[in-house]
């Protein structure tokens, strides 16, 4: 009876707290009424990678006993900014987000800092020079990913002298992975003039746009040797366009992508993609760990890098049965 009464009082207190816009108190150890509250503003649901990333964050929050206020910005920076402002008003304990684009974050990050709410960047960086506006940035090195893609290409065409015509499907304009993957790839291939990027356009990180843009590339350029797509989804869309044009993906046109989600790995194991640079979406466990540390006032590393590898056909075939995403 006493137990039931205490539970009722607790539920009432929590409800009042929610109405008052409280986001948990300062203890933040994930237990009982001390539950740490995290506001997370996600980019959207543009790719298989993003779906896996969202699942990782949601599952890890619940395992860590963290209350997650999850917001899907549907690919729009203005939606993310609004969500962050809402999290500030609600006085969550920690704000985390994966910025749609790199620029334009200074003012809202300053508002969070002024409200004394720590911010953690996940997956994508911002270009604000004031690094005191966020506690840490956890995610991949996208420039390195682009370099790995370029290095594979250089090796593949080693000893050949004829021009190699490359088309590039870029990610969302202004997004860190689009900027950096382009830069890293370009830095490596520019050393050899036989590599020519004959067309480069955004495919918005989606299958639909990847397919549509590849159709246009194929019409305009009958002589494409290589496709470099900034993610698997655009590469998979492009494969449909290549097949519809009567060409064999992976043979007539070599394909390099980034991510290594299951669908991409399957296409690689079938020889339709030639090489994939991994970008891990499983950032949830580390994010929850960092959030707890930040909330407890511990010092954390300002940059937490994700460990990643690359896959050729054989490696993809071996990895597929245990691939988590
Ligand atoms: O920011 C990570 C990128 O965003 C992934 O590579 C891409 O698939 C996603 O949409």
């Amino acid at each position: 009876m006493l137990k039931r009464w205490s539970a009722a009082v607790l539920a009432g207190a929590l409800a009042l707290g929610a109405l008052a816009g409280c986001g948990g108190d300062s203890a933040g150890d994930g237990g009982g009424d001390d539950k740490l509250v995290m506001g997370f503003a996600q980019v959207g649901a543009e790719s298989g990678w993003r779906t896996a990333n969202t699942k990782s964050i949601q599952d890890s929050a619940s395992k860590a006993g963290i209350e997650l206020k999850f917001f899907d910005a549907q690919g729009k920076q203005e939606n993310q900014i609004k969500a962050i402002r809402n999290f500030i008003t609600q006085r969550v304990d920690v704000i985390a987000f994966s910025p749609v684009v790199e620029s334009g974050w200074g003012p809202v990050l300053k508002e969070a800092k002024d409200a004394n709410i720590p911010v953690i960047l996940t997956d994508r960086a911002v270009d604000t020079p004031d690094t005191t506006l966020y506690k840490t940035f956890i995610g991949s090195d996208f420039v390195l990913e682009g370099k790995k893609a370029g290095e594979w290409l250089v090796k593949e065409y080693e000893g050949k002298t004829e021009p190699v015509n490359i088309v590039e499907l870029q990610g969302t304009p202004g997004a860190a992975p689009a900027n950096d993957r382009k830069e890293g790839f370009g830095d490596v291939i520019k050393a050899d003039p036989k590599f020519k990027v004959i067309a480069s356009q955004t495919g918005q990180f989606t299958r639909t746009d990847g397919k549509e843009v590849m159709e246009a590339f194929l019409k305009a350029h009958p002589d494409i040797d290589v496709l470099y797509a900034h993610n698997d989804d655009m590469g998979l869309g492009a494969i449909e366009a290549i097949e519809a044009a009567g060409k064999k993906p992976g043979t007539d046109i070599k394909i390099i992508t980034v991510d290594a989600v299951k669908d991409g790995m399957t296409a690689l194991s079938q020889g339709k993609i030639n090489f994939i640079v991994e970008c891990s979406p499983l950032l949830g466990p580390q994010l929850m760990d960092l959030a707890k540390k930040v909330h407890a006032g511990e010092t954390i590393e300002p940059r937490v890098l994700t460990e990643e590898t690359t896959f050729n056909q054989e490696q993809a075939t071996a990895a597929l049965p245990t691939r988590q995403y």
Side-chain angles (χ1 to χ4, degrees), residues 17 28 39 55 57 59 66 71 73 85 107 138 141 144 146 151 162 192 211 272:
K55 186 174 182 318
I57 285 157
D59 290 354
I66 290 177
F71 180 83
R85 292 209 164 110
I138 167 180
D141 180 340
L144 183 65
E151 280 156 10
E162 315 84 72
D192 188 337
K211 181 177 178 195
K272 294 185 178 190

Side-chain angles (χ1 to χ4, degrees), residues 46-47 49-50 123-124 142 177 181 205 230-231 259 279:
E46 72 283 4
S47 62
W49 188 99
R50 190 64 56 196
D123 162 38
R124 297 181 179 182
F142 297 134
R181 287 173 187 164
F205 279 132
H230 290 188
N231 79 346
D259 276 355
C279 176

Side-chain angles (χ1 to χ4, degrees), residues 46 170-173 201-207 209-210 213 231 234:
E46 72 283 4
Q170 297 179 39
T172 310
Q201 211 177 299
T202 182
Q204 301 287 357
F205 279 132
T206 69
R207 241 178 241 222
D209 287 40
V213 177
N231 79 346
M234 291 189 294

Side-chain angles (χ1 to χ4, degrees), residues 12-86:
L14 284 176
L16 278 177
L19 278 177
C22 293
D25 69 21
S26 59
D29 60 1
D33 54 344
D34 287 342
K35 216 171 191 186
L36 188 155
V37 179
M38 173 187 285
F40 188 92
Q42 180 60 290
V43 170
E46 72 283 4
S47 62
W49 188 99
R50 190 64 56 196
T51 307
N53 179 246
T54 293
K55 186 174 182 318
S56 170
I57 285 157
Q58 289 173 333
D59 290 354
S60 313
S62 103
K63 263 192 208 136
I66 290 177
E67 184 186 331
L68 187 69
K69 291 178 184 289
F70 184 88
F71 180 83
D72 177 341
Q74 301 186 348
K76 294 201 172 97
Q77 180 178 32
E78 64 264 32
N79 290 348
Q80 272 191 320
I81 292 177
K82 265 189 218 152
I84 294 169
R85 292 209 164 110
N86 269 332

